Amino acid sequence: GIEEASVRALAKLEQVLPARLRRRVGTLGTATVPLPAGDGPTVDPEHLTVLAAAIANHERLRFGYRAGAGTRSKRLVEPHRLVAAGRRWYLVAYDNDREDWRIFRVDRLSEPFPTGVRTPPRELPAADAGAYVRERMQGTAAAHRAVATVYAPAAEVAGRLGGPAAGEVEPLDEASCRWHSRPDSLEWLAVRLTLLGHEFTVHEPAELTAYLRALGGRASRAAHPGAPAGPAADPEQTP
């Protein structure tokens, strides 16, 4: 979601890189092709630069912030870490006005600037920033553990899921395996299973089976516009 602004940021970065690193960055640039950003959240790379510098210098930041409900506020924080999760960036920081830790979506930040005030590092109430974001995100919605058989080799499935962070992949035979997921939302578990590109059977939870059934019905109706729509399925109520 950085789009063409990333080119400007890269140009600034290349000016200060040693020659060896500049060549490596140039090689990466010629070997990669970005997909269109689509309608995902857009992050200003200059904001990432400001936030990263403040984190490295243990320097307080001020910025404007737009909450999910649309309300706007001014924040004074002690930035701790940036966390990249999927297509979004999050800032983990201690909010001085609220005297508590907060997670901010970087695409909702505006006009971040360092105050010049340096502070000693605070101890985050989690093993690391990634774990903190994961725990807080799971706390905002009901989390479920999935158990599913995927009809593909275990090594391939583990690679597509992203490794141990997604849960345990247990080989059953050369052509199938069983996935025991980490706790997550029904929506995300369904997406992860569907994007594997292989047939699968969900053993638990029942809520995930119901969600997939409702999702499959909507997808089928979308593929056949002339078919009767029928009643909307509620994943929590579908047997």
Side-chain angles (χ1 to χ4, degrees):
I2 291 178
E3 299 175 325
E4 292 184 4
S6 61
V7 177
R8 298 195 299 271
L10 181 59
K12 295 178 182 178
L13 177 63
E14 287 183 328
Q15 292 174 7
V16 298
L17 283 176
R20 179 176 60 85
L21 293 180
R22 193 181 306 122
R23 285 194 299 272
R24 293 179 66 180
V25 171
T27 301
L28 177 63
T30 59
T32 57
V33 177
L35 286 173
D39 58 356
T42 301
V43 175
D44 188 334
E46 294 184 3
H47 287 180
L48 293 175
T49 303
V50 171
L51 297 177
I55 290 169
N57 296 330
H58 304 293
E59 189 173 359
R60 283 181 179 171
L61 274 174
R62 287 191 182 277
F63 53 80
Y65 192 69
R66 175 180 53 83
T71 56
R72 298 182 180 273
S73 60
K74 296 291 186 181
R75 301 299 183 102
L76 174 64
V77 306
E78 298 172 17
H80 179 75
R81 286 290 185 276
L82 283 167
V83 176
R87 298 184 65 186
R88 291 178 179 168
W89 286 88
Y90 296 94
L91 172 67
V92 177
Y94 185 84
D95 191 315
N96 293 100
D97 294 327
R98 291 156 182 78
E99 298 183 343
D100 198 5
W101 290 92
R102 291 289 189 272
I103 299 172
F104 302 96
R105 270 180 51 174
V106 177
D107 58 293
R108 293 177 179 171
L109 288 173
S110 61
E111 301 179 347
F113 66 92
T115 64
V117 177
R118 298 195 176 190
T119 60
R122 292 180 183 268
E123 184 177 353
L124 185 70
D128 56 56
Y132 183 73
V133 170
R134 189 181 308 113
E135 292 167 4
R136 293 293 294 270
M137 292 302 178
Q138 291 172 354
T140 61
H144 300 264
R145 288 182 181 271
V147 178
T149 295
V150 182
Y151 301 101
E156 180 182 344
V157 172
R160 286 181 175 271
L161 288 170
E168 179 186 356
V169 177
E170 170 193 359
L172 297 178
D173 53 41
E174 293 184 355
S176 65
C177 59
R178 185 155 295 165
W179 178 41
H180 300 263
S181 79
R182 300 287 187 188
D184 218 320
S185 67
L186 293 177
E187 294 86 349
W188 187 235
L189 291 171
V191 166
R192 302 204 79 168
L193 283 166
T194 304
L195 292 183
L196 288 175
H198 295 285
E199 298 292 322
F200 61 88
T201 299
V202 173
H203 304 291
E204 57 181 81
E207 293 89 347
L208 179 57
T209 303
Y211 183 85
L212 285 164
R213 187 182 298 120
L215 184 63
R218 288 195 296 272
S220 178
R221 291 189 293 274
H224 302 86
D234 183 349
E236 297 299 328
Q237 301 298 327
T238 304

